[in-house]
Amino acid sequence: MINLEIPKKFVPLVKQASGLADEVFRPISRKYDRAEHEYPRELDLMSAVIDGLSDSGASQGAGARTTSGGSSEPAGVGAGSRAGRSTQTVNGSNLSSVLSIMQTCRGDVGLTLSLPRQGLGNAAIAAVANDEQKQRYGSKWAAMAITEPDTGSDSGAIRTTATKDGDEYVLNGEKIFVTSGERAELVVVWATLDRSLGKRAIKSFVVRRDNPGLKLVRLEHKLGIRASDTAAFSLDDCRVPAQDLLGDPEVRTEGGFGGAMQTFDNTRPLVAAMAVGLTRASLDLATDLLGRAGVTADPAAPLHTQSYAAARLLQMEAEYESAYLLTLRAAWMADNGRPNSMQASMAKAKAGRTCVDVALSCVQLCGATGYAETELLEKWARDSKILDIFEGTQQIQLLVVARRLLELSSSELK
């Protein structure tokens, strides 16, 4: 069974991430919210510190690392990748990443996403790359390009094509909403080898950011997470070496799409952790502001005997706890080689919805103070919405969970 206490070996990491949130992220959070698309230079030093700790074995890093301390084993080990090992349970890099991200996102979600070499593309590489690729890309910062203008949340409907030409693939298509797309050194692009074969032919390719066929179209202006750049790209006869196709190049009749989808088993708990961290920040600040106004919640007293604000705080604490526990479970299962696709979606769905509800409720409970820029509550309310959308919308997560519970395929339950 999962132990709900933070493992002792991760306590220093959690403290480090907490200090990063309070001492570095919070003070510059408003600055980079207003200066959208400006790179936060303060993060370069923090990235160097994280790299140093990782190399010494003192830390797993604050985000999704492809390798830890030069090891050939990924920091975001995919679900089922440890199958066949000892039945002894472990607390590994999935759990450490989740715990640290919860802390850094108490400071700022956009800045967490902007940490060099901590991108979601790194988790994608960890999920499906072979050992040689993991070694080759281990020190690089990777973004992930999945979404297209006309496909929405259906990853299986990707239209970007990859055509084999000798020792290269030629990629053509469009990608939008690519987190860290401008700043990253690599972009993991999802494309299809054959549109007629549907999901089975979808593969992911590592494309260098300076590839002349990968053209930046624009940077998006967003509701929230403005410290993080979000790019749109066109791929125009973008030539990629065949060795940069991640994992197995063969199109298989059964399970071909499964390898690509392992990416989400890695990244959805990370996004859930972001939502949990932002939820915690909103609750802590709202509780403090309401306490100054004389509103104090009493967990031992019936809700109907307390003020609406106090009762609402207690209800939101309960929602936070459930999101927190679901996120820990999904990460722990990945660390222990247990298929976690359903649990990853459950964590992402619960944490994303909870984050939006709590952030907006905290703004409402704190009235004019919550709505004004004198506090970060209004910013957190704006930041929260993306956590319910990217890496699969709320509706997609619930659909995944329903399919797993009912044991139905994607063609049987749409």
Side-chain angles (χ1 to χ4, degrees):
M1 292 294 291
I2 182 172
N3 187 332
L4 300 181
E5 294 183 359
I6 295 176
K8 290 182 179 180
K9 66 178 180 178
F10 294 153
V11 170
L13 170 64
V14 171
K15 289 183 178 179
Q16 172 209 350
S18 178
L20 179 64
D22 295 333
E23 299 170 21
V24 179
F25 285 6
R26 289 272 180 100
I28 63 175
S29 181
R30 184 67 70 182
K31 170 185 175 182
Y32 288 105
D33 181 56
R34 291 170 175 161
E36 188 172 14
H37 301 154
E38 181 180 334
Y39 176 66
R41 294 295 174 188
E42 294 88 341
L43 298 185
D44 287 337
L45 176 59
M46 299 313 305
S47 180
V49 171
I50 291 170
D51 286 345
L53 288 170
S54 293
D55 290 339
S56 68
S59 167
Q60 300 278 346
R65 297 296 302 273
T66 305
T67 60
S68 177
S71 169
S72 62
E73 180 173 285
V77 177
S81 61
R82 298 193 179 199
R85 293 193 185 181
S86 168
T87 56
Q88 180 180 2
T89 61
V90 297
N91 295 313
S93 51
N94 286 282
L95 186 59
S96 70
S97 291
V98 158
L99 290 170
S100 60
I101 284 173
M102 287 178 183
Q103 291 300 319
T104 58
C105 286
R106 286 194 310 102
D108 192 279
V109 176
L111 292 172
T112 296
L113 288 168
S114 299
L115 280 167
R117 297 179 299 284
Q118 310 289 320
L120 293 173
N122 293 102
I125 291 171
V128 295
N130 59 41
D131 289 341
E132 183 275 331
Q133 290 170 331
K134 290 169 184 173
Q135 187 69 28
R136 184 151 43 95
Y137 305 132
S139 61
K140 304 293 185 181
W141 184 3
M144 186 159 64
I146 300 176
T147 308
E148 299 180 359
D150 300 317
T151 60
S153 292
D154 185 3
S155 300
I158 284 172
R159 298 182 180 181
T160 296
T161 58
T163 305
K164 189 73 180 295
D165 182 16
D167 293 332
E168 296 179 316
Y169 285 93
V170 182
L171 276 58
N172 284 282
E174 296 178 76
K175 294 294 180 179
I176 58 175
F177 302 134
V178 182
T179 302
S180 299
E182 181 190 31
R183 300 169 186 168
E185 301 164 89
L186 308 171
V187 180
V188 177
V189 176
W190 286 33
T192 178
L193 300 179
D194 187 340
R195 285 184 181 176
S196 67
L197 296 178
K199 294 181 178 181
R200 292 172 296 175
I202 291 176
K203 300 291 181 178
S204 50
F205 299 80
V206 175
V207 182
R208 290 177 57 92
R209 180 64 186 81
D210 58 3
N211 188 313
L214 180 68
K215 299 176 182 177
L216 178 67
V217 176
R218 65 181 179 276
L219 294 177
E220 304 290 356
H221 293 281
K222 309 185 296 296
L223 173 70
I225 61 167
R226 292 175 178 171
S228 171
D229 66 302
T230 304
F233 289 107
S234 66
L235 294 110
D236 186 10
D237 289 336
C238 180
R239 305 188 76 87
V240 178
Q243 63 181 0
D244 288 341
L245 182 155
L246 291 177
D248 186 356
E250 298 298 322
V251 177
R252 303 190 183 280
T253 304
E254 297 296 335
F257 193 50
M261 290 304 290
Q262 275 189 11
T263 294
F264 292 128
D265 297 340
N266 276 11
T267 57
R268 282 171 177 164
L270 299 180
V271 176
M274 295 176 192
V276 170
L278 185 54
T279 301
R280 186 68 264 159
S282 299
L283 278 171
D284 287 346
L285 182 52
T287 299
D288 179 58
L289 291 172
L290 289 170
R292 296 181 210 172
V295 177
T296 303
D298 182 1
L303 293 183
H304 71 272
T305 65
Q306 304 185 59
S307 67
Y308 171 80
R312 184 73 184 112
L313 283 176
L314 292 173
Q315 290 172 336
M316 291 190 292
E317 285 286 353
E319 295 297 316
Y320 162 81
E321 289 289 343
S322 60
Y324 173 78
L325 296 176
L326 284 169
T327 302
L328 290 188
R329 181 176 68 168
W332 180 85
M333 290 178 70
D335 279 336
N336 287 276
R338 303 187 183 186
N340 74 334
S341 180
M342 181 175 73
Q343 289 77 12
S345 286
M346 290 173 71
K348 167 64 168 62
K350 178 62 178 178
R353 176 183 293 178
T354 297
C355 186
V356 173
D357 290 346
V358 168
L360 290 174
S361 292
C362 288
V363 168
Q364 181 180 24
L365 290 176
C366 294
T369 301
Y371 196 70
E373 290 190 352
T374 53
E375 299 288 349
L376 288 171
L377 281 176
E378 63 83 26
K379 177 187 180 301
W380 293 339
R382 288 187 284 108
D383 290 345
S384 68
K385 188 56 189 175
I386 191 59
L387 300 174
D388 198 34
I389 297 176
F390 73 175
E391 296 302 292
T393 64
Q394 175 77 210
Q395 293 77 14
I396 289 296
Q397 307 306 325
L398 296 178
L399 188 57
V400 171
V401 173
R403 287 171 181 162
R404 297 288 180 175
L405 289 174
L406 298 174
E407 298 182 349
L408 297 175
S409 67
S410 57
S411 62
E412 293 171 318
L413 183 59
K414 298 181 179 180

